[in-house]
Amino acid sequence: MQIYHYYKNMVEKLDGVPELKTSDVKEREQAEKVLRESEEKYKIAFKTNPDSMVISRLDGLVVEINNGFTQLTGYPREEIIGKTTGDINLWAIPKDRERLLAGLQQNGSVKNLETKFRCKDGSYIIGSMSASMIYLNNEPHLLSITHDITERKRLEEILKQNEEKYRSITENANEGILIAQDSVCKYLNPKMCEILGYSKSELLYSPFIDWLHPDDREMVAGRHKRRLSGEKFVDAYDFRIITKSEEKRWVKIKPVLISWNENPAILNFISDITEQKETEIALIQYKDSLEETIEERTLDFKRAKEEAEWANQMKSEFLANMSHELRTPMHGILNYSKFGIEKLGDVSDEKKLHYFKQIRASGERLMSLLNNLLDLSRLEAGKEIYEMVSINVWQVAKEAIEELQSISKEKSLDVVMPDPMIQTMVFGDDYKLGQVFRNLLSNSIKFSPENGRIEILFTENNLKTGNESNPVLKVLIRDQGIGVPDSELDSIFDKFNQSSRTKTGAGGTGLGLSICREIVTAHQGKIWAENNSQGGATFCFVLPYEQNLA
């Protein structure tokens, strides 16, 4: 370009001289020839450059473009010459053009400015732009060259995503991952640090032999060196480590020869198999003591027999209770209706009213039992319809307390529910959760001593599901009753099951708690029972503030 401008200036100067000598004429002709050749050369270079080239005024008006620009943006020459880049909305990020002009003003040129352009068809490309100031007819212009880096950027993004994906895989892997090179730890994932009990900074670039069991160091270090040299032998093996807390643990290692920073290294997958090893050792000891094994098996058979007998007994008790629960109200209905028929004209209206009340009470008791059986059947079959809306659990509990107030007053029980200091709005079924409160409160009232106290409390907690932990509302119903044997804290929620401390042989079918568990589980919650240190039991359940309906 400098040669071209040199000869062009020379021709312009010679044009201003009135008379030229023969030597001057020849010099002018030579300059014009060089100028034409130079101009033609740069025209060819401009037009055939595969990159986009644009000459524009500083206000953005396009003076000239090459074929590279057309191929890059889709705009033919006739649609762009004489227009500004703003007219065709070329800059996807207008501030990038301001950055370009600022760089030109400050440095006279700009190199490798990455920006996004809008093509004629509405698509976008990413270009690396270099630009400098030139003068045409003594007026400053901008010469820009843009190289399409869209594909490169796409590949960089894919590479970045892949790196993030594999980093996420290794960082969240359930087995330890360790890269060792020259007996030094070059990379460890969090699981490896968890297995050893050290922080990453304590292990990185330290000799891995330091945490090997003394009896296994020579074997592990020797295999490491042999594998680095290319020798092939057993793919996986077990050895012992010493954790930071000086605990001895067994691990299984699966080493693979890789290249790390262009040098051989070993990629190791390490799993904690301590429990498995201890089981294997226990099995060996088990085989060595056959008599003890037979005795233990005999005890197991005995326990199994006892459990089967207990299950059979539970079935018999359930059938007996069901028989009693069904017959008692039915007898009441039949007997009092019979009295009413036989003494229709002989008794007073007050006596008739008494018969009707007894019939109604027996019918309600029978209907309650049938409803419980039907409810549990629908719940277990997954056919129960839940109307899930935003409800105030505290208000639901309050209504249950008021509904059961008459029976709690009969025993002079103090049912206390302090105003909650936390959010008690959840997404759930108002009626079904009311059923949970009524069942649990009825139990507490039934098995609490007279003049006792029942507390209903609300706290915030977290419920872990898989790898996620979500905020939940925790409800506690605490009584001063007879409690539940520790061995029965889980089984009392099984259908037709009752605590051994509450069995009277004359009431209760063991359905209420089963129904509670089904309802709470359907709300993606959890229910359990605990014994209080001062006596009595606490029934707890948690409900997520938001339901996952996916």
Side-chain angles (χ1 to χ4, degrees), residues 175-421:
E175 62 181 341
I177 298 177
L178 164 70
I179 295 179
Q181 190 176 59
D182 299 328
S183 302
V184 172
C185 302
K186 294 297 182 72
Y187 170 81
L188 307 100
N189 73 338
K191 185 63 178 181
M192 191 69 240
C193 297
E194 179 186 327
I195 291 172
L196 292 169
Y198 290 94
S199 67
K200 190 172 183 178
S201 59
E202 289 176 310
L203 293 170
L204 203 57
Y205 304 115
S206 65
F208 64 76
I209 198 171
D210 290 350
W211 40 266
L212 297 179
H213 190 282
D215 295 342
D216 295 338
R217 287 179 180 175
E218 184 177 349
M219 180 265 293
V220 176
R223 291 188 177 188
H224 173 74
K225 291 178 181 179
R226 289 159 58 194
R227 196 177 293 275
L228 281 177
S229 66
E231 183 178 344
K232 294 183 179 179
F233 50 97
V234 61
D235 291 331
Y237 59 96
D238 306 339
F239 62 90
R240 291 160 293 180
I241 61 170
I242 304 296
T243 67
K244 186 175 182 179
S245 61
E246 298 185 356
E247 180 185 5
K248 182 182 75 173
R249 300 195 68 82
W250 280 95
V251 296
K252 179 179 287 293
I253 187 170
K254 300 174 185 176
V256 180
L257 182 63
I258 63 169
S259 177
W260 181 267
N261 294 330
E262 301 181 357
N263 288 307
I266 305 296
L267 170 62
N268 300 283
F269 297 92
I270 298 176
S271 304
D272 188 335
I273 60 167
T274 304
E275 292 184 5
Q276 177 185 332
K277 275 290 184 181
E278 289 175 349
T279 302
E280 291 175 0
I281 294 170
L283 285 173
I284 293 172
Q285 295 173 347
Y286 185 77
K287 291 177 182 178
D288 291 340
S289 53
L290 186 56
E291 286 186 15
E292 182 180 349
T293 301
I294 294 174
E295 184 180 347
E296 287 180 0
R297 287 184 178 177
T298 302
L299 291 173
D300 288 341
F301 287 135
K302 184 179 179 181
R303 282 193 293 266
K305 181 184 177 183
E306 290 173 351
E307 289 175 0
E309 290 173 348
W310 177 80
N312 188 55
Q313 181 184 351
M314 288 296 299
K315 181 189 72 172
S316 299
E317 289 183 5
F318 165 71
L319 292 174
N321 283 346
M322 283 294 296
S323 175
H324 176 83
E325 289 293 320
L326 288 169
R327 287 180 178 180
T328 300
M330 184 57 71
H331 278 309
I333 293 171
L334 294 174
N335 288 336
Y336 282 105
S337 61
K338 179 182 178 182
F339 293 157
I341 293 172
E342 291 176 348
K343 301 181 180 182
L344 186 61
D346 301 331
V347 297
S348 64
D349 289 345
E350 183 180 354
K351 196 66 175 178
K352 292 176 186 176
L353 178 61
H354 171 70
Y355 293 157
F356 281 123
K357 284 183 177 180
Q358 292 300 321
I359 291 171
R360 179 177 179 82
S362 296
E364 287 178 347
R365 181 176 175 184
L366 184 60
M367 182 58 69
S368 175
L369 174 62
L370 295 175
N371 283 339
N372 276 343
L373 287 169
L374 292 173
D375 283 349
L376 186 60
S377 176
R378 285 196 302 270
L379 289 167
E380 289 188 334
K383 294 182 179 179
E384 188 69 28
I385 298 174
Y386 288 83
E387 297 181 4
M388 307 296 274
V389 295
S390 181
I391 61 172
N392 189 334
V393 179
W394 180 83
Q395 184 63 37
V396 174
K398 183 180 179 183
E399 292 171 1
I401 293 173
E402 293 173 353
E403 185 176 334
L404 300 173
Q405 190 174 21
S406 60
I407 61 174
S408 63
K409 282 186 175 181
E410 289 178 4
K411 300 181 72 172
S412 300
L413 295 175
D414 188 13
V415 182
V416 178
M417 184 174 67
D419 291 341
M421 304 300 293

Side-chain angles (χ1 to χ4, degrees), residues 46-213:
F46 182 85
K47 290 182 177 180
T48 61
N49 194 321
D51 288 334
S52 166
M53 298 185 70
V54 179
I55 299 176
S56 62
R57 296 193 322 210
L58 296 185
D59 61 1
L61 184 74
V62 178
V63 175
E64 189 61 85
I65 65 170
N66 71 341
N67 290 334
F69 178 85
T70 299
Q71 292 175 2
L72 186 66
T73 66
Y75 287 100
R77 189 173 186 278
E78 58 271 17
E79 291 186 18
I80 190 66
I81 300 299
K83 295 182 180 179
T84 68
T85 54
D87 293 337
I88 63 172
N89 203 18
L90 183 65
W91 294 83
I93 306 173
K95 286 188 177 181
D96 282 354
R97 185 173 186 276
E98 297 175 8
R99 290 170 52 207
L100 176 69
L101 294 176
L104 289 170
Q105 287 181 342
Q106 184 175 355
N107 304 315
S109 65
V110 172
K111 291 185 178 181
N112 302 323
L113 171 67
E114 290 187 6
T115 186
K116 183 185 287 189
F117 294 106
R118 186 180 290 102
C119 299
K120 183 179 179 181
D121 62 3
S123 62
Y124 293 90
I125 62 101
I126 300 174
S128 176
M129 173 184 278
S130 296
S132 60
M133 299 285 292
I134 63 171
Y135 285 85
L136 298 178
N137 298 324
N138 294 321
E139 182 181 352
H141 284 68
L142 177 64
L143 171 63
S144 64
I145 302 175
T146 303
H147 179 64
D148 185 358
I149 60 171
T150 306
E151 181 64 14
R152 191 192 84 193
K153 282 293 183 181
R154 185 184 72 84
L155 293 175
E156 287 177 354
E157 181 62 25
I158 291 174
L159 180 61
K160 179 182 176 183
Q161 291 175 358
N162 286 338
E163 287 178 349
E164 291 176 352
K165 178 176 68 176
Y166 290 120
R167 183 181 300 110
S168 176
I169 291 172
T170 57
E171 294 295 304
N172 295 286
N174 284 326
E175 62 181 341
I177 298 177
L178 164 70
I179 295 179
Q181 190 176 59
D182 299 328
S183 302
V184 172
C185 302
K186 294 297 182 72
Y187 170 81
L188 307 100
N189 73 338
K191 185 63 178 181
M192 191 69 240
C193 297
E194 179 186 327
I195 291 172
L196 292 169
Y198 290 94
S199 67
K200 190 172 183 178
S201 59
E202 289 176 310
L203 293 170
L204 203 57
Y205 304 115
S206 65
F208 64 76
I209 198 171
D210 290 350
W211 40 266
L212 297 179
H213 190 282

Side-chain angles (χ1 to χ4, degrees), residues 391-395 418-426 456-462 471-476 541-543 545:
I391 61 172
N392 189 334
V393 179
W394 180 83
Q395 184 63 37
D419 291 341
M421 304 300 293
I422 60 168
Q423 173 63 262
T424 59
M425 299 294 294
V426 304
I456 303 179
L457 305 172
F458 298 86
T459 65
E460 285 184 344
N461 211 321
N462 286 291
V472 292
L473 174 66
K474 182 177 180 181
V475 182
L476 300 94
F541 63 93
V542 294
L543 300 169
Y545 285 106

